[in-house]
């Protein structure tokens, strides 16, 4: 068997390694148009920021080690220019010599990845405007930033890579401005969670501009002027463009392979393209989302690696293993915070017409009595009838990745929120509480489903009706420090003495700091004959984050 | 409805709080023979060790807050002496006044917990020998240790609480000796994982004695002489006895309630005792283990809290919610390490006659190129046919709790190791690798099930047959530094050139550092016509830990 693989990083290299383990006798050749293979794309921002200082660490395997360890030939600076699916041949250009030749295959794998989007703005090609995808991109940015450590960096795009770059350039000592066209950073998240992160970014002294559009660039003597739609231009020493990527489908398209609705390479559940001898993996493909059934692209290293393994199995053993699809579990460190998402955001469920409930809770990362506990926020989206978990987002300072992983695994196997209540976590004081934040999130969701709790949301506070009341059930000290305008103070511990006063209102809207005391108040009122009662999801904490 | 609850800490207090939320009108009285309620048992060792410095933090709720917030009456220093199940009455002694009275109930809940075992050794009641269960125990130890900070502490029993006490007394400045009768610490773990922890404890300068039995105690002028079976006695300033606990069933037994095979209070799946008006929760009960079906006790705060919630639901709504049982997920910080277990250990599966496979892997806690990554060890036990996950143990320095939680949730819902390979974790360099350690553990297990890998174990190395060979496939530098006696060096990267040399052996036993390169070597050999090949599970790392 002769396998050719196009692209020698996450998806391609993983396919190759597994192929060799599955078939010691096969001929395997990897083609890579760049000069580097098997490198840690995800580490690039951190090398620029001098968090990683040894550049060699970024290379997991090399051309030499692929050869020695796996008996795999790797051809770098070798761009595949076309695929002849009828003859089962590819045409390759050696970028060093300019020479072009063909190579035949039994099975071909495409893992060409995705390319950063460069919008056709005036001045987009000026010196000092960078995108970050490859090792040479990284080297260029690092070299350019070297003598501008006290300069001004403008990051265009507040997505995952944009925020990583913002943090890393800040870490180098630069002044950092982030320009984001949307009304929040991290588009895959819902607003309340993104708002927490925004607060944190600003607390670090970064200039974060939301709903702000770049219209073009002008050359300066020592940098670039960034022109904005509704604001003064900004003079930057370096500009990082990170507004997203798109699947690299040039080869596939030219070869007549089918593309999907979201312009990625279309593959079946065995990761086989419309040509049965050609498989494809990684950022370049699209695949049905297990929650919505809609085909979409996933730009993540974990799925690319796992697809490589499955693809190799299917080529060697003949379509034996189905790829289950990705629920887009993603995480990012933003200074001292960590934030992540898995499954579907509420806004995307809404856009897809999928009925769902939303609940936000805030809990300590571990037992409050043990030093170092930090508050974390969990938002769940779940189906109203079955309680199936559809999405989860977590933001906080510690143990965020732990809860996100757990929620991802629950979503992936189509579990319900009831499983979260039973989840038997490992508890000792440094690691959690007797009830883990995930248990708490589950309890609250279960109470909602059981009709034991009904909620209203941060963006509904202002719509509280004239004949209703908004009550703050925290202590009077907390209320006096800060409260939602218009709220009256009724501490939960005194509530039972004030029931009659409250009966004059047609509806009671409760909030506390995080939702817990509000829930206790809710239970008291509902069981004391009050009909219309609601508790603010996420409490004052969420409301405040959204109003900052 | 009138609910009486006996025991006002983890299980009892949780039942009470949920009861109130479910029934605002009920009468609820909590009885506690001690002076403290709703306290953090799990924090006691850390207050002694001055990791927690504010004693008040240990109290989650108080008598006053229970009253104000929950409208629940709490009677402290009130020991329940007997239960009259026919009349539905309890007899209570007020320990302050000596007065005894009765109280009637509609429903009664028992959450009396478990008591530390005090073996009838000569001198066991001497001053300076402590067990740790309650706040007064803690205060006594703290007071006693105050002027002995440079003294010698002897911990009897290397279980979870024993190790926490060892660390905390060491933290105070004491010299610490741990005496453990078994051949390993942390009895719920299998030996290879416990061995890693033992190595770490010794590296901190503690004197850890395994297979060592205490025969009695003698009084010293300023302390206690601890007599040992096969060694010189040890003079201690303070002795902590932590050899285990047993369910406190005195009340239940006297009331004629059924006990189970392991001497806990017997309850049905609704946590109801043999008397339908009496429920029981927490350390005092026993319940079928979901993996073995055998009834057993669980001494953990998470289950006690969750049982309390379920018990309240069942009392108010009438047996609506089943308790799913506990898989004994437990974790402990041991100095810089964390170690934990969930499900069944291999030795216990073996004892229960449950057929299973075992695999150990070692992976980085996060991407190796990002600073701070530390190796962690994962041991899985799984069923040979279905691949159902039966047990998991994890030891390491970072992110251990995360993997343990994930594995616990997989075991709890009867998942297979195939789910671990698909698990879509949140990946960015500070948190994981493109393949999470849990994915890797899953891949290896899957390879074993698919017949793509066969293993041998650390305790089988010496049994390698005469006509077979043990080969070390690490680099020659690694081999020269240290290797298993008798092993020959065949680095994996050169293996393909040495196949003929190896054909003279009837069997090839491979090892590398952690198992990965050994697996690559295994694949090369098997696919080159070698019939009998095995790879050492956990590699040199596991072998070395077990031989230390
Ligand atoms: C800066 C950065 C940070 C990231 N951080 C994270 C993170 O924290 N977590 C995460 O999950 N993901 C992260 N990602 C995304 C992750 O790296 C990708 O999802 C993953 O690398 C995709 O793998 P792939 O094989 O599809 O493409 P790539 O890894 O991009 O590899 C594609 C390769 O194909 C080559 N190629 C393309 N066309 C041809 C051709 N015609 N001939 C020869 N070679 C060709 C390209 O040169 C390229 O080297 C990050 C990406 C970047 C750029
Ligand atoms: C030092 C220590 C550390 C621990 N660390 C952890 C850990 O890290 N993680 C973990 O999961 N678990 C840990 N545990 C175990 C955990 O605390 C228990 O599993 C949990 O508290 C059990 O709850 P319970 O309600 O059954 O019993 P308890 O919490 O012990 O409460 C029982 C109460 O009942 C009272 N009582 C008994 N009989 C009567 C009577 N006749 N009348 C009136 N009152 C009565 C007792 O005085 C006691 O206060 C630890 C325990 C200890 C002691
Ligand atoms: C590294 C790379 C070449 C893939 O190589 P790989 O050999 O598949 O991956 P790993 O080194 O993690 O090894 C995993 C294999 O070792 C096995 N393994 C790991 N630990 C083991 C152990 N202790 N015992 C036995 N086998 C073990 C696994 O089962 C797996 O083999 P399988 O797929 O046949 O089941 C490829 O992933 C790559 O180039 N990565 C870098 C690029 C990248 O991913 N970038 C994006 C992220 S920054
Ligand atoms: C604290 C204690 C009295 C129980 O009180 P509790 O009110 O049940 O527990 P919590 O304070 O964690 O609150 C959990 C409740 O608040 C709800 N809640 C939490 N956050 C919420 C939010 N943001 N919005 C709405 N509800 C919320 C949960 O749903 C749960 O209610 P439910 O059980 O009715 O569903 C009891 O567990 C105890 O005494 N603990 C200390 C002793 C102990 O456990 N020791 C061993 C461990 S060290």
């Amino acid at each position: 068997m002769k396998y050719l693989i196009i692209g020698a990083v996450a998806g391609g290299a993983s396919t190759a390694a597994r192929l060799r383990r599955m078939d010691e006798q096969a001929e395997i050749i990897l083609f890579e148009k760049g000069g580097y293979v098997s490198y840690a794309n995800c580490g690039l921002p951190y090398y620029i920021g001098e968090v990683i200082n040894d550049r060699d660490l970024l290379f997991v395997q090399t051309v030499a080690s692929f050869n020695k360890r796996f008996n795999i030939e790797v051809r770098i600076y070798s761009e595949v220019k076309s695929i002849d699916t009828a003859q089962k041949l590819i045409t390759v250009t050696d970028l060093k010599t300019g020479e072009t030749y063909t190579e035949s295959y039994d099975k071909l794998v495409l893992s060409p990845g995705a390319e950063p989007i460069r919008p056709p703005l005036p001045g987009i090609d000026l010196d000092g405007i960078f995108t970050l995808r490859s090792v040479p991109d990284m080297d260029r940015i690092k070299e350019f930033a070297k003598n501008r450590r006290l300069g001004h960096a403008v990051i265009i795009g507040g997505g995952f890579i944009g925020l990583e770059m913002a943090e890393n350039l800040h870490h180098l000592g630069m002044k950092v401005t982030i320009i984001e066209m949307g009304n929040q950073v991290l588009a895959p998240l819902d607003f309340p969670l993104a708002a927490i992160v925004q607060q944190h970014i600003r607390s670090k002294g970064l200039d974060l501009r939301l709903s702000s559009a770049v219209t073009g660039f002008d050359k300066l003597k020592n940098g670039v002027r960034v022109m904005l739609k509704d604001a003064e231009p900004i003079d930057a020493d370096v500009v990082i463009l990170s507004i997203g990527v798109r699947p690299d489908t040039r080869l596939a398209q030219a070869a007549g392979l089918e593309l999907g609705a979201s312009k990625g390479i279309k593959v079946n559940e065995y990761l086989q393209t419309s040509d049965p001898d050609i498989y494809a993996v990684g950022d370049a493909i699209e695949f049905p989302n297990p929650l919505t059934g809609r085909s979409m692209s996933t730009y993540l290293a974990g799925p690319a690696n796992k697809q490589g393994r499955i693809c190799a199995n299917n080529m060697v053993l003949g379509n034996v293993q189905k790829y289950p699809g990705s629920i887009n579990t993603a995480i990012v460190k933003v200074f001292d915070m960590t934030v992540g998402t898995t499954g579907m955001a509420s806004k995307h469920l809404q856009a897809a017409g999928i009925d769902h409930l939303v609940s936000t809770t805030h809990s300590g990362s571990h037992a409050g009595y043990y030093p170092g506990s930090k508050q974390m926020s969990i938002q769940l989206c779940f189906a109203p009838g079955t309680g199936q978990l559809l999405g989860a987002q977590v933001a906080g300072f510690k143990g965020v990745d732990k809860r996100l992983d757990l929620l991802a695994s629950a979503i992936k196997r189509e579990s319900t929120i009831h499983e979260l209540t039973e989840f038997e976590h490992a508890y000792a004081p440094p690691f959690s509480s007797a009830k883990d934040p995930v248990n708490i999130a589950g309890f609250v969701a279960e109470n909602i489903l059981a009709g034991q709790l009904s909620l209203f949301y941060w963006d509904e506070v202002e719509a509280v009706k004239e004949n209703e009341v908004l009550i703050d059930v925290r202590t009077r000290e907390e209320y006096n420090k800060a409260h939602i305008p218009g709220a009256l103070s009724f501490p939960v511990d005194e509530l039972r003495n004030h029931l009659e006063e409250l009966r004059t209102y047609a509806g009671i809207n409760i909030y506390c700091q995080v939702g817990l005391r509000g829930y206790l108040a809710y239970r008291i009122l509902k069981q004391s004959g009050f009909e219309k009662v609601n508790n603010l999801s996420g409490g004052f904490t969420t409301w405040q984050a959204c109003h900052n």
Side-chain angles (χ1 to χ4, degrees), chain A residues 3 5 10-24 26 28 30 66 70 72 305-317 320-321:
Chain A
Y3 298 98
I5 301 171
S14 298
T15 307
R18 175 72 177 174
L19 261 183
R20 173 56 74 225
R21 291 189 287 268
M22 296 297 287
D23 186 352
E24 174 67 12
I28 306 170
L30 268 166
F66 258 114
F70 295 106
I72 288 173
N305 272 260
K306 283 165 200 159
Q307 288 162 16
R309 190 171 185 272
I310 293 172
C311 166
N313 290 348
N314 287 334
M315 288 192 298
V316 173
L317 304 173
V320 291
Q321 192 179 2

Side-chain angles (χ1 to χ4, degrees), chain A residues 331-395:
Chain A
I331 193 166
V332 64
K333 171 174 133 44
V334 184
F335 295 96
D336 315 331
M337 284 200 82
T338 301
V339 58
T341 168
T342 178
M344 302 278 293
S346 175
K347 61 186 171 187
H348 298 139
L349 285 166
Q350 215 168 321
I354 299 176
D355 199 15
H356 66 283
L357 297 164
V358 181
S359 158
T360 300
T361 47
H362 310 277
S363 314
S365 53
H366 62 254
Y369 58 81
Y370 189 89
S373 175
K374 300 272 180 196
Q375 193 170 72
M376 92 169 68
S377 308
I378 299 183
Q379 182 198 279
L380 301 184
C381 294
F382 51 100
T386 59
Q388 187 188 338
L389 197 59
L390 301 171
Q393 302 180 9
V394 189

